[in-house]
Amino acid sequence: MTQPAQPAEDQPSGDQPDGAHPLGLLPGRVGGLTAAEVAERVARGEVNDVPVRSSRSTREIVRANVFTRFNAIIGVMFAIILVVGPLQDGLFGLVIVANTAIGIIQELRAKKTLDSLALIGEARPQVRRDGAARQVAVGEIVLDDTVLLGIGDKVIVDGEVTEADGLEIDESLLTGEPDPVLKHPGDPVMSGSFVVAGAGAFTATKVGREAYAAQLAEEASRFTLVKSELRSGIDSILRFITWLLVPTAIGLIISQLAVEGRDWREAVRRMIAGIVPMVPEGLVLLTSVAFAIGVVRLGRKQCLVQELPAIEGLARVDTVCLDKTGTLTEGGMDVVDLRIIGADEGGEPDADALGDDGARKETVRQALGVMAGADARPNPSMQAVIDAYGDGSGGRRDGWRVIEAMPFSSARKWSGVQLLEPRGDEASWLLGAPDVLLPSGHPALAEVDELGAQGLRVLLLGRTPVPLDAPDPAAGLRPLALVVLQQRLREDAAETLRYFAGQRVEAKVISGDAAVSVGAVAAHLGLPGADHPVDARTLPAEPQAFADTAEHTTVFGRVTPQQKRQLVGALQSRGRTVAMTGDGVNDVLALKDADIGVAMGSGSDATKAVAQIVLLNNSFAVMPSVVAEGRRVIGNIERVAGLFLVKTVYSVLLALLVIFTHSPYPFLPRHSTVLSTLTIGVPAFFLALAPNNERARTGFVRRVLRLAIPGGVIAGTATFTAYALARANHATDLESDTSVATLTLFLVAIWVLAIVARPYNWWRLLLIGTMGGAFALVLTVPWLSDFFQLSLTGTRDPWVGVGIALVAGVVLEVVWRIMRRRTDD
């Protein structure tokens, strides 16, 4: 039916006040459930009680960060020191608090952001009960409720349409298909979709966990942590150390009791001093700090990182699976061409009716603007016409006047206006699908097919003297022009894809849209391999063949949610590290299974809940920053990890030497604290924040141990040699012997730091010099030397220690050069 043109503000809105829904009180409508019927269903549990879960619960976050292997090891040692004292020997326990607090605070910050996003986007659907429309909470909808729909409303639960007045549903978040679907009474609607045109109502047939979107979210609700090679590598080292600690502790306590006699407290303190340095506690803390700082940096770019190791994960990714809708394209469309149809192509034969060739195109432009301006609720295609040719205000000044308007309908496949033209003629102008408006075999259809094969959308503009209210307004239509549109591409998409290509990260586009359309978008962005898109409906069922296709194909169309998940799994089976981006419910399962899930901030709550990274401003251009930040973190952590593991190796060696020689352990926990702080903790913190663009590689533990094992052996041997020589000189002055051992170990450890800090620049040299100066203060300032129980007696033993340290440094240089040559090879 036709309708008089009216301004947009006069149109009914999808956001109606309570009781004023477009279909809420129309006569003859079914009155919905009664209050008693609602109560019965609530009692039976037939209610939409799906809990809103945007992230891990606070309890889960705290538990995951507190109950770790690292905290267990250090916590037991700290508890023992609290019993035997003094407190300054328990300074290492502060690392537990810092490491745990960083992890908890970061995840709670991410949770707060996601929860607030979920609250802002929470829908308040309208239902009809007792013959009246009323707003209810999402969780108050019951089975068989009559849910009312208007423009912009979300479909909260699954159901069956009972009333429809031009009702069109966008199911792109579920299927990936961008075109809205016209719904009629009896058609199903699925939760997760939303209304883009018309109004209607449906009866809820599946609520709660039975609804489609809820089932996907439920399957993805089991929270999984990011696979982190850094974390798993460190955990492997901690696991090995855990098994090593028990026999070492027993050996140390027995040997120290034998040496110290009745002073069991001193024996326990020195046993703790031998065990604590074996645990690379600073490495765990530094990794958390480096990740947290990376999270803060990315947060300034509107990138929310839910888990600290997610930064590392994306830096290791070698394959990025992109969902076209919302990632490469935006919601709208753009007019890319306007092709006038000549008389030889079946166009308007009477050129005088519209003027000469130059005026003809201008007339078409004006008519398109007037048509678009007459549409109170323009769909994406008509909005693109408005963006290109205006809203018709200029045309109205030139003498165009709208008599009747007929909005676009998915059933008709066209929209139209009846216009009074500037020359005084009256005609109907139609804009719609060429295959509907033109007869089969029309010459213009060949060009339409050619453009369609490129993934472009083509609309036909035609003119006819037949009124809009005639039985067939398209009768006698004379085609005038083809309006060529393409989905609006994100401005940053092409540059981001080029960045990934330059970093040897393969991008694959996986979409529910038509394969040809997806391929055209990818080709326009310059993605290699986009000219051979694959329709997912033709994918082989055999797993090996499926994986082969997944690995060698760049663009996939008509992909179902399960197939997205299968594609991710197939790529992972070929050794790929896969990141998946998406915004719809149809992406949830693939996001969860991918090594890294990246969701858009405007996406569904389910996608944001399972993703490790959320792009709050929906900007795909942030991805290179995430990759660069991850590479900085990984490269620098790997650089400084050698410092921590050198300490682990020399601590194990010293413990074994002490056990076998029945000597007092050379250090108290406070000595280990000052050595770790000045040669490892503080310098490693600054080195971990330095720029680093090295590509992430696998084999973290193997590469780190190449320097750590020989470096630790050299440091431990040099330290025990100096300690043994000092004890031979004055066996009763344990404080002096400990001071010589501390000096020797500091010099060797600072040499290791000097190797790790290369290549040098001014601030790295200043850092090494500052650490040396700080240790000199500890030795020379009386209250510091008293606190740490350090005092160098005489000159012989200290200089012997210095000489041994210099020899050890030369050996370190030789070993480092050999190891570096092997690594480069």
Side-chain angles (χ1 to χ4, degrees), residues 638-653:
E638 185 171 313
R639 174 193 293 270
V640 302
L643 294 175
F644 294 96
L645 296 183
V646 162
K647 183 190 72 168
T648 296
V649 173
Y650 72 61
S651 299
V652 172
L653 179 60

Side-chain angles (χ1 to χ4, degrees), residues 768-790:
I768 296 170
T770 302
M771 295 302 100
F775 185 73
L777 290 177
V778 171
L779 291 177
T780 57
V781 175
W783 70 269
L784 286 175
S785 60
D786 290 343
F787 180 85
F788 289 105
Q789 292 187 12
L790 291 174

Side-chain angles (χ1 to χ4, degrees), residues 640-728:
V640 302
L643 294 175
F644 294 96
L645 296 183
V646 162
K647 183 190 72 168
T648 296
V649 173
Y650 72 61
S651 299
V652 172
L653 179 60
L654 285 174
L656 294 175
L657 290 172
V658 163
I659 292 172
F660 293 138
T661 59
H662 295 283
S663 304
Y665 192 79
F667 307 117
L668 289 170
R670 67 193 75 175
H671 301 134
S672 299
T673 299
V674 71
L675 285 169
S676 297
T677 301
L678 296 181
T679 64
I680 302 172
V682 173
F685 176 78
F686 288 99
L687 291 174
L689 300 181
N692 193 321
N693 295 317
E694 294 180 10
R695 178 180 170 84
R697 298 175 294 165
T698 57
F700 161 72
V701 174
R702 175 174 45 82
R703 284 194 304 276
V704 168
L705 290 180
R706 282 185 175 179
L707 174 63
I709 291 177
V713 170
I714 293 168
T717 303
T719 301
F720 193 80
T721 301
Y723 176 63
L725 291 175
R727 276 185 55 76

